[in-house]
Amino acid sequence: MLTTSELLRREWTGFRRPGRLIAMVAAALAVVTIGLLYAFGNHASCDGSCPAEPTGPDGSLVNDQFAFLHRDLGENGSITVRMTSMTGTITYPPPDHDQIVPGLVPWAKAGIIIKDGVRQGSSYAALMLTGDHGVRMQYDYRHDIAGSDGGVSATSPRWLRLTRAGDTITGYESADGERWAKVGTARLSGLPRTVRVGLFATSPGDLTLRPVGLGGATEEVRFTQAGATFDNVVLKGAPSGGRWSGDAVGEMNRTDWEKYHKASGAVEEGGTISVTGTGDIGPGDAEGGGRPVERTLGGLALGLLVVLVVAVRFVTSEYRREAAYGPPVTRRTLAAKAVVAGAVTFLTGLLAVGITIPVGVAIVRGNGIPVIGVSVFTGVRVVVGTAAVFALTAVLAVALGALLRRAWLAILAGVLAIAVPYVVTSFPLLADGLSQWLLRVTPAAGFAAQQTLIAYPQVVAHYVPSTGYFPLPWWAGIAVLCAYAVMLLGLALNRLPHSDERAGQPVGWR
């Protein structure tokens, strides 16, 4: 009987036939070529150089646009206001600009904010009332802390307070201005001695879905605006002689949409301040603010299709030889084939994805298109995780080949189980629920390994597979694919004899 190392060496000798190795090179080239074609084909649509997208303190893309009435605040101080109303409007898209209806979108925001200047992307902490999520404290774009529920009116006002002690900002809320409840605390490292403090209002676009395909949907965004009324403004810790300034963080009152609305800005009259604004303050990657790195992996499905074919034929050819030469395929033989196929395809995926992502991202950025940055850990996870998907797909294909023993039938089963669910869910073709279900229970769940996008609860976006969001986290998606591969390989091994009757056969017979 052959030792394990001898058996693996024998299977590797059989796998490295020129046709199979050329096919694996083709799989890698498919991933790289399609990814780079995507990168070269994406160019900024601006005339000349595009304005830089704002980035937050951590370097990630952010949305930072709002109406701001502000003044200086020192290292220790506070702002307290009473908010008596919050209203808004939603505009239907062209050609019906005149269809402006009253209403607040769920994440319309108005309240008080402490910010490191008026530059987009600068550090901040804000305490606000929202359209449908009550009082919230948010800071540095990605962080959100819930306060009390409910809205605001003249008969039921909201009192809001932010205090600053060095780098620490604390938010409080009150119903009567006497009894205060703490909402949350934020530490904003590196705040300068003097920051800007004041009142703000903003409102993100209203996301609506238009039916397409067989139950799928595409997004339509409607222009919205929010306004709030404040009084009893008390500022402590501000330098003497300072004055209030009204500005917009980001551009306002310049688009066609805004011609049909009240001008954004702040108005003071009789001790009452009204602030009206549009835009958003929050993470930019959830709403398409930049290209995710996984967009360069458009050739992944084609590469995996080649892997399926090679792995299936690697094992079904053994059964054709079994019929001709007599000795049966054993458990040890099939296990060795799975190990060799998995190892080769892992290295193939590692090489292909390891080239495609960094080179593709560099090209896209060079073309003037922002790319959503990822940490080193996330980048390594995507490369290694996607290579693991290649390997597990090969193991699954070996198992299908051993179970079905006909190459065309095993390839068809693999395509239906992996490639088809991934491809059809990549487009807004099927209903969102069905797409999510397919990527939870089929082996195609493993494609979640490539995802870097984050679904933020404080951002309204279309979080579905056709927009790049998988229903399972990356590790769970790989676990589903792994479970299928292990289960099918176990079934295939269980059908085979233990003994290796061909142990004495020379390699040349293969």
Side-chain angles (χ1 to χ4, degrees), residues 9-17 20 314 507 510:
R9 190 179 304 113
R10 190 184 74 178
E11 293 304 328
W12 162 239
T13 301
F15 187 90
R16 62 178 180 165
R17 291 173 51 187
R20 292 190 183 116
F314 181 43
V507 172
R510 301 171 57 78

Side-chain angles (χ1 to χ4, degrees), residues 121-143:
S122 58
S123 188
Y124 79 96
L127 187 66
M128 66 197 73
L129 189 68
T130 62
D132 198 36
H133 298 282
V135 173
R136 318 290 288 205
M137 182 173 178
Q138 296 181 355
Y139 62 98
D140 281 356
Y141 306 96
R142 297 179 181 271
H143 306 283

Side-chain angles (χ1 to χ4, degrees), residues 412-430:
L412 178 61
V415 169
L416 291 176
I418 301 176
V420 170
Y422 175 64
V423 171
V424 298
T425 57
S426 298
F427 302 94
L429 177 65
L430 305 177

